Amino acid sequence: MTTNNPRRAFTLVELLVVIAIIALILTLVIPRIQSPRINSLKNSCRNNMKQLMLGMQNHHDAKKTFPPLYFSSDPAQQANPQLNPANAAEYYTWQTSLLPFIEEDNLYKSIASNSAKFTLPSTKVTVKGQGKTGSPADMKLLGMDCPSSPLDNPPGVSNYAALSSTRLPLLQNETIGKDGLPAYKQEPDGMIIPGKTQKGHSDQRMADGTSKTAVLIESLEDVRSNWYKPQESFVVGFLPADSTPIDAAASNYYPYFTSPPDVSSVSKDWRFNPAAGNRTALAEYNSAGPAIPYHPIKGDPLERTWGPSSGHNNGVIIVGMGDGSVREITPDIDPAIFFSAITADGKEKLELPE
């Protein structure tokens, strides 16, 4: 007599155990698969920044200065130490100055030729390139996109911006003491800033040391970002939130307000005005956008959604230093260290990590 033994089925417990084991294996394996790709993207971004900083060094070797934030050859367009929203759009950016030093010499010559050697307003210039005719702002430059950016950047957008000042009013004030700051603080305290001479500053401006001064930084900004538009080619370290008037007293949103500055008093939570709940920090990308919008006043030409920020894993943000080196910082960096890195001559003894 033959006995048929029915096949034994998995019990629910056994099935759950198998699923748990598979999940554990995937948890261990997937990061190992993704890690090389993530590191490759970050390294590509580091290389982009390195090439820009190499261009900065070559610009300094050739012209004895780093490029100014914006410039014009029109005698009537005398740049001043402020980023004036009324006329800044007529100038040419630091990236334009850098074109011959980042293997974009043909584009530079085309812009120079069609602008009568940068005499015409930049908004009136038309060039031919990349299979089309239009504004240089429509031209996509190689090496200006961070490969880790999750945003679909339109042509002209650059993920690498000048870190021009600790805060926005220093790029705007037209009257000494207008916001309560002493006169010595009226000039923007970064390295890539406007100037009446139409020239940038030499490395001697970096009295804190070239290795201690941040020049360029990453930003995910894609709406108010364009390598050809002066008002969109920079970010600052601290920017008022919507509820903070752009001309509010400095004490409302300046991390410290002493003379000389005391970096030990910088709030660890990066608050502008704790009572109003205004806060800013370096931002790591998430699909909902930054927790705190970065723009000053909606509709303003300087409106931003993102400040210093990136799409890298763990919020790593790439920074280009005055000596040409490239550093990595994260959103949990001590605000005092980040603040001191922005100032070219703040006389702080703090330094970004290697």
Side-chain angles (χ1 to χ4, degrees), residues 167-246:
R167 63 191 190 87
L168 190 63
L170 293 180
L171 284 162
Q172 292 184 308
N173 288 342
E174 299 177 355
T175 304
I176 291 179
K178 177 181 177 181
D179 69 348
L181 281 176
Y184 82 98
K185 273 291 189 182
Q186 287 302 305
E187 186 178 59
D189 46 12
M191 188 62 199
I192 307 300
I193 62 175
K196 290 181 179 179
T197 63
Q198 301 289 312
K199 297 179 180 179
H201 289 274
S202 74
D203 56 11
Q204 293 182 358
R205 176 177 173 82
M206 293 181 275
D208 292 342
T210 57
S211 66
K212 295 182 179 180
T213 304
V215 177
L216 304 181
I217 198 166
E218 280 189 274
S219 175
L220 285 172
E221 181 62 33
D222 62 337
V223 177
R224 296 286 185 175
S225 172
N226 192 290
W227 69 268
Y228 188 67
K229 298 180 179 180
Q231 293 166 298
E232 300 182 5
S233 64
F234 77 98
V235 293
V236 297
F238 309 91
L239 204 60
D242 276 346
S243 57
T244 303
I246 206 166

Side-chain angles (χ1 to χ4, degrees), residues 271-291:
R271 291 187 181 278
F272 288 122
N273 182 346
N278 298 332
R279 186 175 70 87
T280 192
L282 302 173
E284 180 179 5
Y285 175 79
N286 61 72
S287 59

Side-chain angles (χ1 to χ4, degrees), residues 30-49:
I30 289 178
R32 292 177 179 272
I33 296 175
Q34 290 182 332
S35 182
R37 179 178 180 275
I38 291 172
N39 288 335
S40 176
L41 294 177
K42 186 181 72 172
N43 288 337
S44 294
C45 180
R46 285 181 61 98
N47 184 62
N48 287 346
M49 183 67 81

Side-chain angles (χ1 to χ4, degrees), residues 84-101:
N84 185 348
N87 65 0
E90 304 301 311
Y91 293 92
Y92 297 84
T93 64
W94 64 269
Q95 287 104 322
T96 304
S97 298
L98 214 60
L99 290 176
F101 305 99

